[in-house]
Amino acid sequence: MSRCLWCNEEVMYTVSIKELVTFHCKNRPLCLGCSRQLKRLDSFTRCSGCSRISEREAHCQDCLAWRQRYPQLKLKHQAVYAYNGFAREMVKQFKFSGDCELAAAFSEEIKELTRCRRRSSLVIPIPISRSSIETRGFNQTELLLESARIEYQRVLENAFQREKQSKKTRFERLESPQPFIVRDRMEGEIKGKNLIIVDDIYTTGRTVYHAAQLLSQYNPASISSVSLFR
Amino acid sequence: MSKDYLLYGRDLIFREVHSAIQLTDRELTSVNQRPAISRINGRYRCERCGAAVRTKKPYPCICGGNCLYCSDCLILGKVRACDTLITLEEPNLFAPVHPASLRWIGCLSEEQRNASIEISRTIHANEERVVWAVTGAGKTEMLFEGVGKALDANKRVCIATPRVDVCLELAPRLRQAFPDTSLAVLYGSAEEKYTYTQLVIATTHQLLRFKEAFDVLIIDEIDAFPFYLNDMLYYAAAKAIKQQSSTIYLTATPDRLLKKRIKAKKIKASILPARYHGHPLPVPSLARLSSHASLKKIDSNCYQHMQELLNQKKRFLVFIPTIQLMEDVMKKLVILFSQFSFDSVHSKDSQRKEKVSKMRLGQYDFLVTTTILERGVTLSGIDVIVLMAEHRVYTEAALVQIAGRAGRSKEYPNGEVTFYCTNLTRGIKGAVREIKEMNRLASRKGLLK
Ligand SMILES: [Zn+2]
Ligand SMILES: [Zn+2]
Ligand SMILES: [Zn+2]
Ligand SMILES: [Zn+2]
């Protein structure tokens, strides 16, 4: 019997028929009560540009603004869960308290996000700032990918010491200059590849658009972006 | 204040201390340092909380390498394998209070006075004692004399409890009783609140930040600790006290192990079966529901019961086992009792304190709650209803505590307690037996009015 990674209660599930037939039992890192508190976005109508819960599937105001600014990018950002109160608590424990083991709670979701139907794909995690490295010691997105056993490349790095994103106002974030550069000898890797930019949370879209805009200059075949939460 | 004061009797992560107050090389040589995660016989153990390290593999770390960390005491800041813990020996540098620390003037019942004397003696002799007192026996007042004498003898005293609510309730009463003694209240994860004081009120988690600091440690509501964290509590307590020291355990509902130790006279005990006002504990009435646990069935019986209480202008608490169920029930209550004033509260509720104080001030007719109000919180003149008392969160101890919320005040000593359940669990039967047993004991001792 395994224990829930979040609440430490025993994980009890009824086995599905499919699992009985295939003898392939899914590993369930969270108990039923906890996994119910995470709300899957695909059960809602969403903006097709950023996965935000919306009345219509048409692009939301923010996405329209991004499209105007970066007409060539046309990102269709995919995310699995709504960034609700429960998700916030989990992210707080994972990133800020530094409970790295929680990464294993989302292996299935990360696999689902990075499953690429096309060949020659390249998974690129968003890097974290030097100050985050100093206080946290790990890149949460890389940990998520590692625990899902997804191969990735450190293509991007931070161009300069940044202040923490979370302390900036929304306006400051939207106006911030390009924070990333492509690491030495990585330019060649990008050309002709189907890039998947991975971040843990999509908030304003600023981070992902910076990364996509920079990467688009190196002639990739395509760029898509995904995050666990939106 | 010199930096040393922040380290006397403390057990802190060096990295955290150093980033807050830079220690000079000279200062560094005088502090005691040890690895935060030790390796004994191939097993890793966290030295701060005593837990076996559960992390399955090392993770990228701020030191640049890969390190294990302790996931059991993360709430107090991450302990990594590359960390060291630092401490300075407790020197007991306190300003004496003249003529005596204790300023409380009040009356103890004869039973309370006897227990108070026993506690004083135990503290003086650096021994251990359990004080097993029913809910509403007036435990805090019984501590005053012993604590006062210890403070006057320049001892450092800590009162610890698993629950933040209990801490917050204790603090003003102790501040009033010992107005000239330095006092710190430690809870949550905020470290900056710490100052060096002779009297410390802390959550048991905060005890992990001390090492050989206290001459007297009093642990209130020792049974309130979630069972699986028990080892951590005992480790914390053992680490926080000096070798020569006294520990007093207070409880209304000792677990089986502790009861056994008391019976076998392995630990000294003071047993108080009666409340300070001399009325017996309310014995829960059991309202059995025939069908399998369904809220619909509870409808007819329980909601009618609530209506009657409201008609009689009686105020009450409704206990519900889980947050999920509470939300379901609340939807119904909002429709049924729209003309009354009430609310719900649970452990993750940010307005928890406000809601409890509203209930205390009589601004609600009733309050719906999960088990968080099971103890510590004293409301006068209330009845108690427990829904789905067969649920596994309701252990014997929890039910005794919940029943103990009723009939606390002298003015309204006969509160009514009702357990709604579909079947009788060990917890329910045990709780009723325990309450009756204490009433019998009290009556035999002639303590009841
Ligand atoms: Zn869980
Ligand atoms: Zn959008
Ligand atoms: Zn620990
Ligand atoms: Zn390290």
Side-chain angles (χ1 to χ4, degrees), chain A residues 9 97-101 134, chain B residues 56 59 62 69 74 78 392:
Chain A
E9 288 285 316
S97 300
D99 198 355
C100 303
E101 296 256 296
E134 275 162 15
Chain B
K56 294 183 192 77
Y59 287 92
I62 45 173
Y69 69 94
L74 265 180
K78 192 165 169 178
R392 66 198 169 90

Side-chain angles (χ1 to χ4, degrees), chain A residues 5 7-9 93 97-102 132-139 143 146-147, chain B residues 15 54-57 59-63 65 69 71 74-75 77-78 80 228 324 348 392:
Chain A
L5 273 177
C7 70
N8 208 34
E9 288 285 316
Q93 174 83 359
S97 300
D99 198 355
C100 303
E101 296 256 296
L102 271 180
S132 294
I133 285 283
E134 275 162 15
T135 55
R136 194 181 306 156
F138 61 92
N139 177 333
L143 266 193
E146 275 158 31
S147 89
Chain B
R15 183 177 34 79
R54 289 188 290 146
T55 32
K56 294 183 192 77
K57 58 170 197 214
Y59 287 92
C61 182
I62 45 173
C63 65
Y69 69 94
S71 47
L74 265 180
I75 191 164
K78 192 165 169 178
R80 302 159 164 97
Y228 68 97
Q324 186 71 50
K348 293 185 184 101
R392 66 198 169 90

Side-chain angles (χ1 to χ4, degrees), chain A residues 110-148:
Chain A
I110 294 293
K111 278 182 204 154
E112 172 189 331
L113 281 173
T114 51
R115 194 181 297 137
C116 193
R117 284 151 216 91
R118 285 172 290 190
R119 262 178 289 145
S120 66
S121 65
L122 182 60
V123 175
I124 303 175
I126 295 286
I128 60 170
S129 68
R130 172 132 23 114
S131 70
S132 294
I133 285 283
E134 275 162 15
T135 55
R136 194 181 306 156
F138 61 92
N139 177 333
Q140 67 281 358
T141 309
E142 290 178 6
L143 266 193
L144 286 168
L145 289 166
E146 275 158 31
S147 89

Side-chain angles (χ1 to χ4, degrees), chain A residues 13-213:
Chain A
Y13 277 93
T14 44
V15 181
S16 71
I17 306 255
K18 189 184 165 199
E19 283 169 339
L20 272 178
V21 174
T22 58
F23 292 103
H24 179 75
C25 223
K26 260 198 214 157
N27 167 37
R28 270 136 174 170
L30 295 179
C31 72
L32 200 59
C34 289
S35 49
R36 265 195 196 138
Q37 294 192 63
L38 288 167
K39 298 285 180 241
R40 280 195 77 95
L41 288 164
D42 54 15
S43 55
F44 298 91
T45 313
R46 292 158 295 162
C47 163
S48 61
C50 66
S51 290
R52 155 190 292 172
I53 296 171
S54 164
E55 310 261 278
R56 301 165 295 133
E57 280 180 27
H59 285 117
C60 67
Q61 287 301 319
D62 288 353
C63 284
L64 289 174
W66 286 127
R67 299 231 147 187
Q68 205 163 32
R69 196 156 169 187
Y70 303 106
Q72 79 289 1
L73 287 178
K74 299 192 177 59
L75 286 183
K76 283 179 186 276
H77 184 84
Q78 293 292 320
V80 186
Y81 292 120
Y83 195 40
N84 60 10
F86 185 73
R88 264 168 230 273
E89 286 297 312
M90 284 194 98
V91 168
K92 208 166 97 188
Q93 174 83 359
F94 175 45
K95 269 164 83 170
F96 302 109
S97 300
D99 198 355
C100 303
E101 296 256 296
L102 271 180
F106 300 108
S107 298
E108 291 300 320
E109 289 82 348
I110 294 293
K111 278 182 204 154
E112 172 189 331
L113 281 173
T114 51
R115 194 181 297 137
C116 193
R117 284 151 216 91
R118 285 172 290 190
R119 262 178 289 145
S120 66
S121 65
L122 182 60
V123 175
I124 303 175
I126 295 286
I128 60 170
S129 68
R130 172 132 23 114
S131 70
S132 294
I133 285 283
E134 275 162 15
T135 55
R136 194 181 306 156
F138 61 92
N139 177 333
Q140 67 281 358
T141 309
E142 290 178 6
L143 266 193
L144 286 168
L145 289 166
E146 275 158 31
S147 89
R149 295 169 198 274
I150 302 293
E151 271 182 50
Y152 64 85
Q153 284 282 355
R154 285 184 181 150
V155 171
L156 300 170
E157 70 181 353
N158 274 88
F160 48 83
Q161 181 80 38
R162 279 195 300 168
E163 306 153 64
K164 277 208 183 121
Q165 272 281 5
S166 40
K167 282 190 183 141
K168 290 184 196 168
T169 65
R170 192 180 160 87
F171 178 76
E172 281 171 338
R173 262 195 262 179
L174 289 175
E175 289 313 308
S176 62
Q178 176 62 262
F180 305 124
I181 50 172
V182 169
R183 292 178 63 202
D184 291 347
R185 284 188 292 278
M186 277 295 162
E187 292 96 336
E189 295 280 317
I190 302 170
K191 193 176 173 205
K193 296 271 175 62
N194 295 300
L195 309 183
I196 307 174
I197 300 169
V198 188
D199 205 354
D200 54 343
I201 309 159
Y202 180 106
T203 316
T204 61
R206 180 63 278 183
T207 310
V208 162
Y209 273 91
H210 268 319
Q213 192 270 331

Side-chain angles (χ1 to χ4, degrees), chain B residues 356-426:
Chain B
V356 172
S357 84
K358 267 181 149 178
M359 183 68 190
R360 184 169 293 141
L361 294 171
Q363 289 169 7
Y364 289 138
D365 297 309
F366 65 95
L367 187 59
V368 182
T369 172
T370 54
T371 53
I372 55 147
L373 294 191
E374 113 192 2
R375 55 182 83 223
V377 179
T378 306
L379 300 162
S380 67
I382 54 155
D383 286 348
V384 170
I385 291 173
V386 182
L387 290 189
M388 298 179 70
E390 73 277 9
H391 196 279
R392 66 198 169 90
V393 303
Y394 294 131
T395 57
E396 178 184 318
L399 288 171
V400 169
Q401 288 285 354
I402 287 171
R405 298 307 101 202
R408 293 295 280 261
S409 67
K410 228 181 268 178
E411 293 71 34
Y412 189 74
N414 300 315
E416 271 177 32
V417 180
T418 315
F419 292 169
Y420 283 89
C421 56
T422 52
N423 56 303
L424 294 181
T425 57
R426 263 210 344 234

